[in-house]
Amino acid sequence: MMVKGQGCYLWDIENRKYLDFTAGIAVNALGHCDPEMSKLIGQQARTLIHTSNLYHNPWIGALSQLLVQKTCASGSMSSASKVFVCNSGSEANEAAIKFARKVGKIRQPDGEKHEIVSFNNSFHGRTMGSLSATPNPKYQKPFGPMIPGFRYGTYNDVEGVRELVTEKTCGVIVEPIQGEGGVNVATVEFLQALRDRCNEVGAVLVYDEIQCGLSRTGQLWAHASLPPSAHPDILTTAKALGNGFPIGATMVTEEIAECIVTGDHGTTFGGNPLACRLAHYIISRLSDPELQNGVLEKEQTFRKGFERLQNRFPEAIKEVRGKGLILGLQLTQNPTPIVTAARERGLLIITCGTNTLRFVPPLIISDEEIEEGLGILEQAMDVALNQSGVEGTKGQQEMAPTGR
Ligand SMILES: Cc1ncc(COP(=O)(O)O)c(C=O)c1O
């Protein structure tokens, strides 16, 4: 039970200290209890917390404008134009799915154009729409049937795109880097093929950057290195946007915005001045080039450490994946004993996909903290792998618990 946080550390109820390589599942990019953020919470809480969406407030406009400005300046989503502000990642995707459906109806009023395409091993959330786009039996099965009209394809399968995305498709949703699914990076060819096919059939392309976005890859958005010809129509974000305070956002192009009228979609809490003021501050910090360069430098510190671990445990580590500070170590066996041994030694770490250790620390982490964590991880692997040597290597887990 965690009771206190500061920077990259957490303390539990028994005052044990933990180095946090999870950042609240890729949320606390600025670390825990960033002092300026704490100050702003106090200031805004004394000024105005909530008014509902019946009235404008200064911060929803300022946040939307900053998101659009920073996005365009970063070389991503070149035609970003308007923002819907909500309270979580699932809600941001729910809005994206609804917007795609509405665009489909406008483009083809007979209602045929209603299918949403997503990909195996994706995670888009747990509301019925976002869950229907998350083809993982573990999450879907207890709550079936899913919403009709969802189709699933194979991630990075360029050849399959043509058959998957058809005239019936109104939207395609994809993570440029799959987080929960195992830190799988989309190829440029795959995202370009999706964009081209969406253009051909008149479907909306949605990039879910809820986990991989907001400078976690060293660029504001994970798709920033793509040419404008592969940019999305809709981008969803949440997690780090509030550094722990609940907020999500769905950014759209002018073309999409024109299809959505006031009252089509809404939320009582979404866009409240407190969340928006915080997100405005957080975006200005996370879009700092110095912070972004630091992310790439720290990636190298992690990668060097992973090389050492691979040399030490060649049988256990199959592959390193990811970019910036969203990294995955593909293991050959169930990582849960390693996670437990690490926690017992003061390091918090999570899993994802199938037998993958996931590294999504605060972006402000120092090299010393990374080395400290990797040292603990080595000890944990030593203990867990030697213990499991007898029986642990057999029977790989089908779908390792993702720590969620
Ligand atoms: C890529 C992605 N999309 C959507 C979500 C759902 O976000 P939330 O849990 O805030 O609803 C997550 C959460 O892990 C995510 O990683």
Side-chain angles (χ1 to χ4, degrees):
M1 186 185 287
M2 300 302 169
V3 294
K4 194 178 93 171
Q6 195 182 4
C8 296
Y9 291 94
L10 284 171
W11 284 261
D12 74 10
I13 197 163
E14 288 172 72
N15 207 28
R16 283 183 296 233
K17 186 179 177 186
Y18 301 87
L19 178 57
D20 186 6
F21 272 8
T22 76
I25 321 188
V27 166
N28 305 98
L30 297 177
H32 295 281
C33 300
D34 174 75
E36 184 62 22
M37 187 179 154
S38 303
K39 201 174 92 190
L40 288 178
I41 290 175
Q43 273 179 9
Q44 191 61 37
R46 288 188 293 273
T47 310
L48 188 66
I49 295 177
H50 172 83
T51 59
S52 86
N53 56 8
L54 294 174
Y55 312 102
H56 286 289
N57 74 65
W59 290 104
I60 185 169
L63 170 63
S64 303
Q65 195 173 37
L66 189 67
L67 261 173
V68 168
Q69 268 172 6
K70 293 288 184 189
T71 298
C72 294
S74 73
S76 341
M77 198 176 167
S78 30
S79 37
S81 167
K82 290 207 165 70
V83 181
F84 169 73
V85 182
C86 54
N87 314 287
S88 70
S90 297
E91 280 180 62
N93 284 338
E94 203 67 37
I97 291 165
K98 285 180 72 179
F99 295 169
R101 282 262 167 103
K102 174 114 197 260
V103 171
K105 278 229 164 70
I106 290 173
R107 291 185 179 164
Q108 205 175 311
D110 66 5
E112 274 282 289
K113 197 172 197 58
H114 68 271
E115 282 184 357
I116 306 277
V117 165
S118 66
F119 295 91
N120 293 338
N121 300 317
S122 65
F123 186 89
H124 297 296
R126 293 172 187 272
T127 52
M128 282 316 284
S130 61
L131 181 64
S132 299
T134 302
N136 182 334
K138 195 174 91 183
Y139 301 134
Q140 286 191 344
K141 223 173 150 196
F143 306 103
M146 292 296 108
I147 291 175
F150 281 74
R151 292 190 79 188
Y152 311 122
T154 304
Y155 196 66
N156 278 337
D157 174 15
V158 175
E159 256 86 81
V161 166
R162 198 171 174 81
E163 215 171 285
L164 183 70
V165 180
T166 70
E167 294 291 339
K168 282 187 166 181
T169 310
C170 68
V172 174
I173 182 164
V174 63
E175 294 161 83
I177 300 177
Q178 290 184 330
E180 302 300 311
V183 190
N184 307 312
V185 182
T187 62
V188 175
E189 297 74 37
F190 178 58
L191 295 176
Q192 185 70 63
L194 287 177
R195 176 71 272 178
D196 294 345
R197 188 65 180 143
C198 282
N199 291 348
E200 259 170 40
V201 302
V204 169
L205 181 62
V206 183
Y207 285 169
D208 175 346
E209 294 230 16
I210 287 164
Q211 184 153 166
C212 62
L214 289 173
S215 299
R216 189 153 282 282
T217 60
Q219 289 177 293
L220 185 63
W221 303 113
H223 77 271
S225 47
L226 296 179
S229 63
H231 288 181
D233 304 295
I234 300 183
L235 182 140
T236 56
T237 178
K239 286 194 184 273
L241 185 60
N243 205 54
F245 196 89
I247 183 168
T250 308
M251 189 159 39
V252 304
T253 62
E254 190 56 38
E255 205 183 344
I256 304 296
E258 278 169 8
C259 297
I260 313 299
V261 296
T262 304
D264 268 354
H265 189 55
T267 151
T268 300
F269 295 138
N272 71 73
L274 176 53
C276 290
R277 182 171 188 189
L278 293 174
H280 185 272
Y281 164 72
I282 290 157
I283 291 284
S284 64
R285 287 274 306 275
L286 292 180
S287 56
D288 175 8
E290 208 175 304
L291 178 136
Q292 293 171 334
N293 290 336
V295 168
L296 297 177
E297 283 163 22
K298 289 161 199 173
E299 172 185 3
Q300 294 316 315
T301 312
F302 266 108
R303 285 190 179 271
K304 280 187 204 124
F306 292 156
E307 252 173 62
R308 289 198 301 270
L309 289 175
Q310 260 181 316
N311 289 335
R312 173 105 200 262
F313 308 105
E315 299 295 310
I317 302 174
K318 212 158 75 177
E319 191 184 30
V320 181
R321 290 192 294 267
K323 195 171 168 202
L325 290 178
I326 174 163
L327 296 168
L329 266 192
Q330 182 60 54
L331 305 186
T332 52
Q333 62 189 87
N334 176 12
T336 306
I338 299 173
V339 172
T340 306
R343 190 181 63 238
E344 286 166 356
R345 286 160 182 75
L347 173 70
L348 301 178
I349 194 164
I350 33 173
T351 62
C352 59
T354 308
N355 299 338
T356 309
L357 279 179
R358 179 171 29 160
F359 300 80
V360 282
L363 304 186
I364 52 141
I365 196 166
S366 67
D367 274 338
E368 294 70 36
E369 288 163 336
I370 297 171
E371 294 293 0
E372 180 193 341
L374 289 171
I376 301 175
L377 180 62
E378 184 171 351
Q379 287 169 30
M381 288 183 80
D382 199 17
V383 171
L385 295 172
N386 285 333
Q387 270 172 6
S388 68
V390 190
E391 52 190 39
T393 44
K394 54 179 172 176
Q396 285 191 18
Q397 272 212 331
E398 253 303 285
M399 202 64 182
T402 63
R404 302 182 62 78

